Amino acid sequence: MIERKRKTKNPCPTCFLNRALCICERIPTANTRTRICLVIHAKELKRTTNTGRLAIKALVNSEMRVRGDSREALDLSDLLTPEYRTLLFYPSEDALELTEELVKQDPRPVQLIVPDGNWRQASKVHYRHHELKDVPRVMIKTPNTAKLHMRAENTPEGMATLQAIAHALGILEGNEVKESLLNLYNAKLEKTLVGRGILK
């Protein structure tokens, strides 16, 4: 018998937690030189454990594109402007490690395209969006040492989207932005686990 996942009752439309556990007052406002574009699958939008949308709420220089909500393919070619050095945040075999040295190779601000969804959904941004074929892939090699997670992680580096964005912006923008986003993620994790009865 398959156990059904419990749905959050009366969720806040912003942080997606039960309203009694709402963390909206803890969402920071961060102005960054780096631009974040979250490419999220439509099915992921319905999941209250999603953290990518919280990153978009916190980051002024960001936007969200939704894929998989119609039969028409999402075209991301308009993102490829000379104003930004565009990178796809995806750990493919040819992905470069995102480091300060890599960032310094180009004076332009970085635009980081971040696929959001389960592994299968996120991988389709890498494979199917041919307009992004020449966009360099980057990854971070920071291990996820957390003992508690909202979802099961398949690899030692596996992270929630908000965690991964925080670590990437730590390299691109500095520790202050990173810590503010990690604090937001930890608040989301804690309240999610309280809602499940795992924490008190």
Side-chain angles (χ1 to χ4, degrees):
M1 181 176 177
I2 298 174
E3 183 181 351
R4 290 177 176 267
K5 291 184 179 179
R6 291 180 297 171
K7 292 185 177 180
T8 301
K9 294 181 180 179
N10 191 29
C12 167
T14 301
C15 70
F16 325 110
L17 289 159
N18 181 286
R19 290 177 190 270
L21 301 171
C22 177
I23 59 166
C24 286
E25 64 179 18
R26 298 177 70 173
I27 298 176
T29 300
N31 282 292
T32 59
R33 188 168 180 258
T34 304
R35 185 172 187 273
I36 298 292
C37 179
L38 189 76
V39 182
I40 188 170
H41 194 277
K43 290 182 179 179
E44 184 69 16
L45 283 172
K46 301 174 183 178
R47 302 187 68 173
T48 55
T49 55
N50 178 270
T51 62
R53 293 173 296 176
L54 278 176
I56 298 302
K57 295 288 184 184
L59 297 168
V60 175
N61 192 14
S62 68
E63 69 164 305
M64 182 172 69
R65 302 283 181 98
V66 180
R67 59 181 298 274
D69 60 347
S70 69
R71 292 186 177 181
E72 281 191 30
L74 178 65
D75 186 358
L76 300 173
S77 56
D78 64 303
L79 296 175
L80 306 179
T81 65
E83 179 184 357
Y84 285 97
R85 178 189 184 187
T86 299
L87 303 171
L88 180 63
F89 199 26
Y90 182 78
S92 60
E93 290 184 1
D94 62 344
L96 302 170
E97 183 177 359
L98 184 62
T99 62
E100 291 183 8
E101 290 73 20
L102 178 68
V103 174
K104 289 176 181 177
Q105 291 174 5
D106 191 315
R108 293 175 298 173
V110 167
Q111 174 177 234
L112 201 60
I113 299 177
V114 183
D116 193 13
N118 62 33
W119 186 254
R120 181 171 173 271
Q121 292 163 350
S123 66
K124 288 181 179 178
V125 177
H126 166 62
Y127 288 112
R128 291 191 176 179
H129 283 269
H130 299 297
E131 69 273 26
L132 303 181
K133 64 181 176 59
D134 294 325
V135 173
R137 274 61 173 155
V138 294
M139 62 184 291
I140 54 172
K141 293 186 177 180
T142 306
N144 187 357
T145 58
K147 294 181 179 179
L148 297 174
H149 309 276
M150 278 184 280
R151 302 182 192 175
E153 299 294 349
N154 298 322
T155 67
E157 294 82 15
M159 294 184 185
T161 302
L162 178 55
Q163 276 179 298
I165 290 174
H167 284 286
L169 288 179
I171 296 163
L172 291 160
E173 297 285 336
N175 201 52
E176 185 176 346
V177 174
K178 171 187 167 182
E179 291 303 322
S180 69
L181 293 180
L182 286 179
N183 288 340
L184 176 60
Y185 169 75
N186 289 330
K188 169 77 171 176
L189 174 63
E190 178 188 349
K191 296 300 184 182
T192 297
L193 297 181
V194 167
R196 292 176 182 172
I198 296 172
L199 294 180
K200 293 184 180 180

